[in-house]
Amino acid sequence: MEDKKDIRVLYIEDNEGHARLFVKGLRREGGFFVDRVAEPEAGLKMAKETSPGYDAVVVDYCLPGKSGLAVIKDIMSWDNPPATIMVTALGNEETAVDAMQAGAGNYVVKDVHSHYLALIPTVIRDAVRKRKMENDKKAVERELRRLNALLKAEQEAINSGILVVGLDAKILRYNKRFLEIWEIPEGLVNEGDDSKLLSFVADSLSDWDTFIKLVEHLYQHPEEKRIGDIVELKSGRMLSRNTGPVRLENGEIIGRLWNFEDVTERKRQDALIQNMAFYDYLTGLPNRRTFYDRLSVSLSDAKRNKQTLSVVFIDLDRFKQVNDMLGHEIGDKVLVAVTKAMKGHLRESDSLARIGGDEFVLLLPRIDKVEDVHRIAAKFLDTFSRPITIDGHEITIGISMGAVFYPKDGDNPETLVRNADHIMYHAKQSGGNNLKIL
């Protein structure tokens, strides 16, 4: 029975000898669960219908009835496809280009002595990580498009609040929505005196002085237009304000039209959408995209100032059991509690991000010596060696950590995170709840 961390691989290969060596090599490596099928159509059906799905599909170039390229193209047409890798004995550049154009995450040439098998585990891990990042990005983009469509539909359905004031400061016209937006009693507006209306709304405005100065300026310049001003109320609501002259057919100006729309919810949704693109919805931590941006900036600083930084990959040891036994709601609360506990041990300059279900990554800039990382790790290990209480349940969540350093272990974000993930995996294999340093 495969562990939660096992990468699920489907190998489509009709050569029994090659298939046997491939499967044997991955099982010896550890961390992989492998299925193999000989027929391409059977492989496609298996890849599409098996639950849970495969993380990677490795396809031989030459298959009976359907080429490996065609198989990869079919897989890449699916929603959220797994990573795909082409293996072939044809070691020419044209075949490699064809494979990558078809959507393969990588390309491996079979050599006579089967040395390629030693590369396969690393190639699969890299392709799976890359595919996950691409699928996550597409999911966020789909959600942003959905929210934007909803916001547009809501905006089109909302009626604006309308007020028309004559040149003599008398109210000429208004609609019900205007009264609702400003919470004005209809009896007051029926008096027709705009000055009384202004006095009534004065206490509801966050910045009365700026508001009234603009109103007075516009009444003195009846031809002037204003589009898209935002008026903030003390209640926290925000109103969009457009205004311009009201003209007769001959061009004569007879008053001013004020158009108000309550945009509080739209602004909140805009902030939410912006937040979704850069932060994890559950913990509030930076997401993968934001972490890589911060790491890139820190690397530039470290290179310029000849400093060292550390990247620590963190994985919770017993989180799957918590989800299975107590449910996802408790699991989510555990993640929030774990996040809070970890943040309590960090410096202001450190950056903690959540990049997967129970996977976190930590950026420690300006690290002078390895002992600094050990000191922070010791605090984490001590904290998570003791149970935490969630809704009456005492839960002990151990953590496994792998730490790497710039420039010793890599000089770019992808290499540092990949190496930190690799050494963390060894920490977990050795029993968990510990730190390993590359």
Side-chain angles (χ1 to χ4, degrees):
M1 180 176 181
E2 76 272 23
D3 182 76
K4 179 181 96 58
K5 294 298 295 182
D6 285 352
I7 295 176
R8 295 177 58 85
V9 179
L10 176 63
Y11 186 30
I12 305 177
E13 166 67 81
D14 63 323
N15 185 294
E16 293 290 341
H18 289 167
R20 185 167 56 255
L21 290 173
F22 180 96
V23 174
K24 183 178 179 181
L26 284 187
R27 288 177 177 167
R28 184 188 305 116
E29 171 76 14
F32 294 89
F33 176 83
V34 190
D35 282 326
R36 177 256 174 170
V37 64
E39 298 293 330
E41 291 297 345
L44 284 169
K45 187 174 187 296
M46 195 168 177
K48 196 166 191 176
E49 298 178 0
T50 299
S51 180
Y54 292 98
D55 300 302
V57 178
V58 182
V59 185
D60 187 63
Y61 183 83
C62 296
L63 292 170
K66 190 167 193 171
S67 73
L69 287 176
V71 171
I72 288 177
K73 287 179 181 178
D74 283 351
I75 292 174
M76 295 309 297
S77 69
W78 303 345
D79 290 331
N80 299 320
T84 54
I85 299 159
M86 173 72 73
V87 292
T88 178
L90 302 176
N92 58 68
E93 185 175 340
E94 182 180 351
T95 305
V97 170
D98 288 343
M100 302 308 281
Q101 288 180 343
N106 214 323
Y107 170 89
V108 179
V109 178
K110 298 177 181 177
D111 58 286
V112 175
H113 301 291
S114 298
H115 294 312
Y116 76 97
L117 292 172
L119 301 175
I120 287 292
T122 299
V123 170
I124 292 176
R125 290 191 186 100
D126 287 346
V128 168
R129 185 177 290 107
K130 179 181 176 183
R131 173 51 51 195
K132 185 178 186 305
M133 290 177 64
E134 292 172 351
N135 287 345
D136 287 348
K137 179 182 177 183
K138 289 178 181 178
V140 169
E141 290 172 348
R142 283 196 299 271
E143 181 64 8
L144 293 180
R145 287 195 296 270
R146 186 185 72 83
L147 288 175
N148 281 328
L150 289 175
L151 289 174
K152 183 178 179 181
E154 290 175 1
Q155 181 180 348
E156 291 173 350
I158 294 173
N159 293 324
S160 299
I162 303 297
L163 175 71
V164 180
V165 180
L167 296 179
D168 57 358
K170 296 298 180 182
I171 296 172
L172 302 178
R173 188 176 179 182
Y174 66 91
N175 68 358
K176 184 178 179 180
R177 183 60 182 153
F178 171 75
L179 302 181
E180 293 172 348
I181 288 175
W182 284 98
E183 300 178 348
I184 296 171
E186 193 164 0
L188 177 62
V189 76
N190 283 338
E191 294 182 24
D193 188 341
D194 186 51
S195 61
K196 290 185 178 180
L197 208 57
L198 288 168
S199 297
F200 179 85
V201 302
D203 287 341
S204 64
L205 291 159
S206 294
D207 187 353
W208 163 253
D209 289 340
T210 300
F211 180 87
I212 193 60
K213 284 179 182 177
L214 178 62
V215 170
E216 291 172 347
H217 169 81
L218 291 173
Y219 281 156
Q220 292 167 9
H221 300 82
E223 76 288 345
E224 191 169 326
K225 293 182 178 181
R226 296 277 299 192
I227 303 295
D229 291 333
I230 297 296
V231 178
E232 296 187 15
L233 306 185
K234 291 179 180 177
S235 65
R237 292 168 54 229
M238 288 179 283
L239 308 180
S240 172
R241 175 182 59 194
N242 301 326
T243 183
V246 177
R247 299 177 184 270
L248 298 177
E249 289 185 3
N250 62 6
E252 179 187 354
I253 296 175
I254 61 170
R256 175 165 291 277
L257 169 68
W258 298 91
N259 180 307
F260 296 95
E261 182 180 340
D262 190 329
V263 294
T264 308
E265 183 63 19
R266 189 197 313 167
K267 291 292 184 182
R268 189 189 72 79
Q269 291 284 359
D270 287 347
L272 176 62
I273 290 171
Q274 183 71 9
N275 193 67
M276 284 178 59
F278 297 99
Y279 292 89
D280 173 53
Y281 75 96
L282 178 63
T283 63
L285 292 175
N287 60 14
R288 182 187 298 271
R289 170 182 175 181
T290 303
F291 179 81
Y292 272 81
D293 288 345
R294 291 184 181 181
L295 179 53
S296 295
V297 172
S298 291
L299 281 171
S300 296
D301 290 341
K303 291 173 184 177
R304 183 169 55 253
N305 299 314
K306 295 181 171 53
Q307 295 173 332
T308 298
L309 63 78
S310 178
V311 172
V312 185
F313 203 101
I314 302 168
D315 186 274
L316 306 185
D317 288 337
R318 288 176 285 277
F319 185 70
K320 182 177 186 299
Q321 292 92 317
V322 172
N323 267 341
D324 290 346
M325 296 175 62
L326 301 178
H328 292 286
E329 183 176 349
I330 296 294
D332 285 349
K333 291 182 179 181
V334 167
L335 289 172
V336 172
V338 165
T339 297
K340 182 178 179 181
M342 286 194 288
K343 288 173 67 177
H345 296 309
L346 300 180
R347 304 169 300 176
E348 187 175 344
S349 60
D350 300 334
S351 186
L352 178 68
R354 182 187 178 207
I355 62 171
D358 61 348
E359 293 179 335
F360 300 80
V361 63
L362 174 61
L363 166 61
L364 301 172
R366 296 186 293 280
I367 289 293
D368 295 325
K369 47 187 177 298
V370 173
E371 287 75 14
D372 295 334
V373 177
H374 275 292
R375 186 165 52 253
I376 293 174
K379 294 177 182 178
F380 281 23
L381 293 171
D382 179 63
T383 296
F384 297 115
S385 66
R386 299 188 298 270
I388 57 177
T389 302
I390 304 290
D391 291 355
H393 301 282
E394 284 199 350
I395 302 168
T396 301
I397 292 285
I399 59 172
S400 296
M401 295 175 286
V404 296
F405 295 86
Y406 164 83
K408 178 175 71 74
D409 303 319
D411 62 358
N412 62 76
E414 291 76 16
T415 300
L416 286 168
V417 173
R418 181 173 63 250
N419 288 339
D421 184 11
H422 179 73
I423 196 67
M424 180 282 299
Y425 179 75
H426 285 288
K428 184 174 286 289
Q429 289 294 97
S430 65
N433 206 45
N434 63 13
L435 166 74
K436 281 192 178 294
I437 293 179
L438 188 61

